[in-house]
Amino acid sequence: MPLIPEEPQIHEKAQGPRATPASGRTAPTPRPVPGPRPAAPPRPGRPGPVRPAPPAQRASRDNTAATKPGPAGPASPATAATAPATPQIQLIPATPDGALDAAEEAVDLLLDSGRTPGDVLVITTGDAHPWAAHELSFGDTAYWAQHDAGDDVFYADAAVADRAASRAVVVVALNGGPEAAAVTTLSVAHSRAGALLIVCGDPQRINSVLGAGV
């Protein structure tokens, strides 16, 4: 009796970190666009004695990103006016110690997928992001001038997040701080996010806050 060759087993490839849905709402994890990855300029907050590169240098990264395909045909003004204002919510499980690193990875994915640096606002609930702490050392005026320029990723902590303007994507790192700060920060972040809100932290804690009416 002839032997039947065994069918090759197909192993599912890992797709990277999976997001945990919040209250039934899901958003796809940003994926890098096809093609060779452009050389990444210095990311803010990385160790080193040199001050982070100015926004113009980092923003050049976006010139090589592929444009995402839009809907078939141009959207009419009436359609744009009736588009839902509620952002999608994506949760990335992380411990308080790892939330900031998770937020940084999320920002990298966003930039690789075609988002411009000026689209992204990052908010921390515990210690300030190293970039924010560094820039604040040059004075409050210079720090907020970079925010107003709107051409680079901007980092703010919970104490000043309500001063930040709305951006297409807001990333929250629950990297410590009191519970009240987390609740307030998520509420502010939700109101500032135009299209996508990414929260890095304990999913159970995030869902309990989001379920409370954020």
Side-chain angles (χ1 to χ4, degrees), residues 67-89:
T67 303
K68 294 185 178 180
S76 64
T79 301
T82 57
T86 302
Q88 292 182 316
I89 300 176

Side-chain angles (χ1 to χ4, degrees), residues 15-95:
Q15 299 298 326
R18 294 180 180 273
T20 304
S23 302
R25 294 169 289 185
T26 61
T29 300
R31 296 184 179 180
V33 294
R37 181 173 179 175
R43 296 281 301 123
R46 300 302 189 196
V50 182
R51 185 176 180 177
Q57 296 179 10
R58 293 185 63 252
S60 62
R61 169 180 191 164
D62 183 62
N63 294 334
T64 59
T67 303
K68 294 185 178 180
S76 64
T79 301
T82 57
T86 302
Q88 292 182 316
I89 300 176
Q90 177 178 323
L91 308 187
I92 300 179
T95 63

Side-chain angles (χ1 to χ4, degrees), residues 42-48 50 101 104-105 108 129-131:
R43 296 281 301 123
R46 300 302 189 196
V50 182
D101 287 338
E104 281 288 272
E105 291 176 4
D108 286 338
H129 187 279
W131 181 89

Side-chain angles (χ1 to χ4, degrees), residues 90-176:
Q90 177 178 323
L91 308 187
I92 300 179
T95 63
D97 290 337
L100 199 54
D101 287 338
E104 281 288 272
E105 291 176 4
V107 171
D108 286 338
L109 283 172
L110 288 165
L111 298 181
D112 287 343
S113 66
R115 287 286 182 184
T116 63
D119 281 346
V120 185
L121 168 67
V122 180
I123 304 175
T124 58
T125 60
D127 292 338
H129 187 279
W131 181 89
H134 179 73
E135 293 303 319
L136 280 169
S137 69
F138 295 95
D140 192 72
T141 300
Y143 172 74
W144 286 105
Q146 296 191 54
H147 165 271
D148 296 339
D151 53 7
D152 201 0
V153 179
F154 190 76
Y155 295 82
D157 61 30
V160 298
D162 59 345
R163 289 184 59 183
S166 298
R167 293 201 176 188
V169 183
V170 177
V171 181
V172 177
L174 296 179
N175 61 329

Side-chain angles (χ1 to χ4, degrees), residues 3-32:
L3 297 177
I4 300 175
E6 294 183 359
E7 295 184 0
Q9 296 183 354
I10 300 175
H11 299 279
E12 182 181 355
K13 292 184 179 180
Q15 299 298 326
R18 294 180 180 273
T20 304
S23 302
R25 294 169 289 185
T26 61
T29 300
R31 296 184 179 180

